[in-house]
Amino acid sequence: LGLRVPADVSVIGFNDDYSEFMQPPITTVSHPIVEIGSRSAQLLAQRIEARNQGENTLTDNVHIPFHGHIIERESVASVM
């Protein structure tokens, strides 16, 4: 398409896996993946235990907010 980052279009990624190694380095939203994985494992263990005790956990929805943060790099143009 011939577009230039960030001159023509800004790019923001999700998670911070290899974003810093791109050209230009990509601005990303980073998430606490260790915390998310740990909490997921805890919930899974609780549901397995509840199921083993005869409880139906398939209808239980859980909402747990995790706060990410923006890592600013060179892929987003300034708006000021």
Side-chain angles (χ1 to χ4, degrees), residues 22-80:
M22 305 305 268
Q23 237 3 308
I26 306 295
T27 295
T28 60
V29 178
S30 181
H31 296 326
I33 57 175
V34 172
E35 183 182 352
I36 292 170
S38 175
R39 189 65 181 122
S40 298
Q42 290 171 358
L43 286 170
L44 178 60
Q46 290 171 358
R47 287 188 178 204
I48 290 170
E49 181 62 31
R51 187 187 64 184
N52 289 341
Q53 294 179 9
E55 297 176 29
N56 179 5
T57 61
L58 294 178
T59 59
D60 297 341
N61 292 319
V62 178
H63 176 77
I64 302 170
F66 291 99
H67 302 285
H69 65 279
I70 294 177
I71 300 173
E72 294 183 45
R73 295 201 178 97
E74 300 170 28
S75 65
V76 177
S78 175
V79 294
M80 297 290 194

Side-chain angles (χ1 to χ4, degrees), residues 16-28:
D16 193 36
D17 293 338
Y18 300 102
S19 300
E20 65 185 303
F21 303 112
M22 305 305 268
Q23 237 3 308
I26 306 295
T27 295
T28 60

